[in-house]
Amino acid sequence: MQKTFPGGTGPVDYDVVVVGGGPAGSTTATLVAQDGHRVLLLEKEQFPRYQIGESLLPATIHGICRLLGVSEELAEAGFTTKRGGSFRWGRNPNVWTFAFSVSPQLAGPADYAFQVERMKFDKILLDNASRCGVTVRYRCQAVEVLREGDRVTGVLYTDDTGVERVTTSKWLIDASGNTSRLRDSVGGHRSMSPDFRSVALFGYFAGGKRLPAPNSGNILSASFPSGWIWYIPLARDLTSVGVVVRSDHVHRLHGDKRAAYHQMIAECPIVHDYLKGVPPATTPPYDRLRTRRDYSYHHTTLWSPGMALVGDAAMFVDPVISTGVHLATYGGLLAARAVNTALAGDIEEAACFAEYEARMRREYRKIYDFLVAFYETHDEQAYFRAAQHVTGRTGDPLEAFVDLVGGIASHDKALPDGSPLSADAKDIDAIIGRTHDDGDVIGLHHVPVIAEALGETIAMRQLRPGKPEHDGNPLLDRGLGVSADGRRWTIPARAVDTPPT
C-alpha cells in the first residue's frame, strides 16, 4: 500500500529508499526502520561479498552497533579482538603502542574493537536490517534518480532479473560507495584531496607473526620510504597487508604489480620480518591483489531536497587511523536522525539535514587536519606538537590521544560509560610507549596533548536509548540536540531559529 508524504507531494512506495548495503546503508536503513518507517534497501551484489576496510574502532562496536542491536552477534562471531593500535612511523625505529583502556570512556567493557572480515561483518549488519523491518533486495542496480521539480522522489533501478523498475520515496539515501552512480544528482561534485593522492595495493597472507600479547590483535601501521603499510591480523591464518604508495612513487607500480608489492614489503623491515616464510592466501576472495587509487575525497554537497549522500559516496579519508567504517556508520546515524525527524514533522527538512552535513564535515575536517600533520612530521615530538596545534585540545594528553585513536573524540554519545580509572591505572608506562621486540614497553613521559582530531566522536561513549546527548544541549553553535533514544534531532531550549552552520 502506498503512503502519502506529510504535507502532500502525492503517494509514495516507501518512506526511504537506501542504495547500498554496506555499513553506511545498513545503519541508516535500520535506524529509520526502528523509528517505524517503511524502508527499501537496494544492494547491487549478493551478500556475503568482499570489501576492504577491516579494522574497526570502539565507537562503532560499542556505540552504533549497540543501537543497531547487533552487539551480541558481533561478540559471538569470533572476530579478532583489537585492544589498541601500534605504529612504526617516521624516523624512530621502535613501535609505538597504545591501549583503548587508558580512556575513562573506554575503560572496562568498551576497551576494545574488532578486526573483521568485512564480508562477514557487513552481512551481520544487513541481516539485522532485515530483521528490523527493512525490505532488502539483492542484485539490484540503481540507474537514475527520479525528480519532481527540484525534489528527488525516487529511483529507477534494474532488479535481479535485469528488468527496469521504478520506486518512489520521500527520501533517497545514496550509500552506494566510492563508485556511486547517483552522487552527482545531489548537486556539487567530488573534490579529490590535494594532500593524500596515494595508491593502495593490498592483498592477504596465510598467517604471519603477531605483536606480543596483549597487543597481538592490534593493527600495525608501519612507514617505509615510499609510503606506509597496514598489517591487520584478521585471523590466526589470515593477515591483510596493504601498501599505500605516495603519488611521487606510483611509477613503481607500473608493470608487474605483485612483484612491486613484495618488493615494497621487503623495504619495510618489521612487516618483512612478520611475513618471513608466510605464503600469500590462496582461498577466494583473499587470493587476489587489489588496487584503489586517489581514495581521499569529499563531495562538495551532501544533501538536496529528498536526497542525501552517506558513507563513501559522501567522503573518505586516508585510512592510517582506521576511520573508514567509523565515518560510514556515523554518517548513517546522522542521516537517520535527519530523516526520522523530518518524517515526524518535528523540524524542517533543511534544518535536519543542515545538522547532518555540519556534523559530518566537522568530523571529516578534524580527521583530515590531523592526518596532514601526521604525514608532515617525522618524529614523535614534532608529530604530537603538530597534532596539538591542529586540535587545540586542553586536558589530559594521554586520555586525549586514546580518545582520538579510539573514535570517541566527539560529543555524540554512542559509547557506554567507562569505569573511572585511578591515577595508578592511567600510568603512561603501562598504557602507551615504545615496544621492544621482546614486548617490553618504555614509557613516553612527555606526550603532548593530541585532543579532538576525530571531532564528532568523543561523546559517542554514551549514546543509547534513554540517555540524551548533553541533556538536550546542542553540539554545534546554533545547532540541534539529540533525542533520548538517539534516533532524532531535537530543538534545544536555547536554540535560535536559524539552521546550524
Side-chain angles (χ1 to χ4, degrees):
M1 182 181 72
Q2 289 189 324
K3 299 181 75 175
T4 302
F5 191 155
T9 60
V12 294
D13 300 317
Y14 291 91
D15 296 310
V16 179
V17 172
V18 176
V19 179
S26 58
T27 296
T28 309
T30 300
L31 294 172
V32 173
Q34 286 176 346
D35 217 46
H37 306 298
R38 294 188 66 208
V39 183
L40 171 67
L41 187 147
L42 304 174
E43 166 54 45
K44 68 179 180 180
E45 300 185 53
Q46 180 67 53
F47 276 36
R49 57 88 177 95
Y50 172 81
Q51 186 60 268
I52 190 63
E54 299 116 337
S55 193
L56 307 187
L57 302 183
T60 299
I61 296 300
H62 302 289
I64 293 172
C65 286
R66 184 219 298 267
L67 290 182
L68 298 177
V70 296
S71 296
E72 290 187 10
E73 193 170 356
L74 291 177
E76 296 169 357
F79 294 131
T80 298
T81 299
K82 169 186 174 181
R83 299 202 173 277
S86 299
F87 292 88
R88 212 304 302 160
W89 205 265
R91 300 189 185 99
N92 194 321
N94 299 310
V95 174
W96 301 4
T97 295
F98 67 87
F100 295 130
S101 59
V102 71
S103 168
Q105 287 74 36
L106 296 178
D111 67 353
Y112 66 92
F114 292 124
Q115 314 285 16
V116 300
E117 294 179 65
R118 282 285 304 277
M119 59 191 301
K120 297 179 181 179
F121 175 78
D122 290 10
K123 188 173 188 301
I124 288 173
L125 266 57
L126 195 50
D127 286 349
N128 178 69
S130 293
R131 291 194 298 270
C132 290
V134 177
T135 300
V136 177
R137 294 179 185 166
Y138 294 101
R139 300 194 301 276
C140 290
Q141 175 71 62
V143 176
E144 183 181 348
V145 165
L146 307 178
R147 292 182 179 276
E148 289 184 9
D150 292 334
R151 185 173 190 86
V152 171
T153 57
V155 65
L156 170 70
Y157 70 97
T158 56
D159 67 14
D160 56 354
T161 66
V163 174
E164 283 194 347
R165 299 188 180 276
V166 167
T167 189
T168 57
S169 61
K170 301 168 189 174
W171 277 280
L172 176 67
I173 302 298
D174 180 11
S176 57
N178 69 306
T179 59
S180 166
R181 296 181 176 186
L182 307 180
R183 65 176 189 260
D184 290 341
S185 297
V186 83
H189 65 276
R190 177 169 289 184
S191 176
M192 304 304 298
S193 163
D195 300 295
F196 305 116
R197 289 191 175 274
S198 302
V199 175
L201 187 61
F202 52 96
Y204 298 84
F205 288 80
K209 184 179 177 181
R210 301 297 185 238
L211 290 160
N215 303 318
S216 56
N218 284 7
I219 182 175
L220 171 65
S221 299
S223 62
F224 76 110
S226 296
W228 66 278
I229 296 177
W230 74 66
Y231 186 95
I232 303 175
L234 290 179
R236 182 184 59 81
D237 57 352
L238 185 64
T239 305
S240 172
V241 180
V243 177
V244 181
V245 183
R246 298 192 307 271
S247 58
D248 53 335
H249 290 267
V250 169
H251 64 276
R252 298 189 59 185
L253 303 184
H254 298 162
D256 188 337
K257 287 184 172 56
R258 188 165 290 276
Y261 177 69
H262 288 286
Q263 175 58 43
M264 286 184 282
I265 288 174
E267 295 171 14
C268 185
I270 186 169
V271 175
H272 182 253
D273 174 66
Y274 276 29
L275 293 174
K276 191 174 296 182
V278 180
T282 57
T283 302
Y286 301 115
D287 56 337
R288 292 177 50 192
L289 193 63
R290 294 175 167 87
T291 303
R292 184 169 173 179
R293 63 179 63 243
D294 284 348
Y295 53 84
S296 292
Y297 56 84
H298 70 95
H299 205 81
T300 58
T301 299
L302 297 187
W303 76 280
S304 64
M307 182 177 177
L309 306 182
V310 177
D312 288 3
M315 58 185 65
F316 189 82
V317 69
D318 185 281
V320 71
I321 54 175
S322 305
T323 54
V325 174
H326 161 67
L327 283 174
T329 56
Y330 183 60
L333 168 65
L334 299 181
R337 287 174 179 165
V339 168
N340 289 338
T341 308
L343 281 170
D346 296 337
I347 301 173
E348 295 261 342
E349 175 187 25
C352 291
F353 281 94
E355 184 76 17
Y356 160 69
E357 179 153 359
R359 291 197 185 209
M360 277 310 300
R361 292 207 183 280
R362 180 179 185 268
E363 185 77 344
Y364 181 85
R365 186 75 252 173
K366 291 198 173 186
I367 295 172
Y368 188 99
D369 289 347
F370 174 78
L371 290 176
V372 169
F374 192 90
Y375 276 101
E376 288 181 350
T377 54
H378 301 286
D379 65 81
E380 65 269 28
Q381 291 302 317
Y383 159 65
F384 289 131
R385 284 195 299 271
Q388 182 179 15
H389 174 74
V390 167
T391 60
R393 170 73 181 269
T394 60
D396 186 295
L398 183 55
E399 291 177 12
F401 177 81
V402 178
D403 286 349
L404 162 67
V405 293
I408 60 162
S410 86
H411 294 278
D412 198 321
K413 301 182 178 180
L415 289 185
D417 291 325
S419 302
L421 293 180
S422 68
D424 292 340
K426 292 191 288 184
D427 179 33
I428 289 178
D429 286 344
I431 302 299
I432 183 170
R434 304 189 184 111
T435 305
H436 285 174
D437 291 339
D438 59 6
D440 292 339
V441 177
I442 301 174
L444 299 176
H445 294 285
H446 303 290
V447 180
V449 174
I450 297 193
E452 296 180 8
L454 287 190
E456 188 95 5
T457 46
I458 194 168
M460 293 181 77
R461 64 186 180 272
Q462 291 176 1
L463 177 57
R464 58 176 181 259
K467 188 130 187 166
E469 172 188 80
H470 289 300
D471 298 321
N473 291 331
L475 170 66
L476 305 176
D477 183 34
R478 300 182 179 182
L480 301 176
V482 176
S483 64
D485 62 9
R487 294 200 299 259
R488 296 186 190 181
W489 301 127
T490 61
I491 300 176
R494 67 170 185 264
V496 298
D497 293 332
T498 55
T501 58

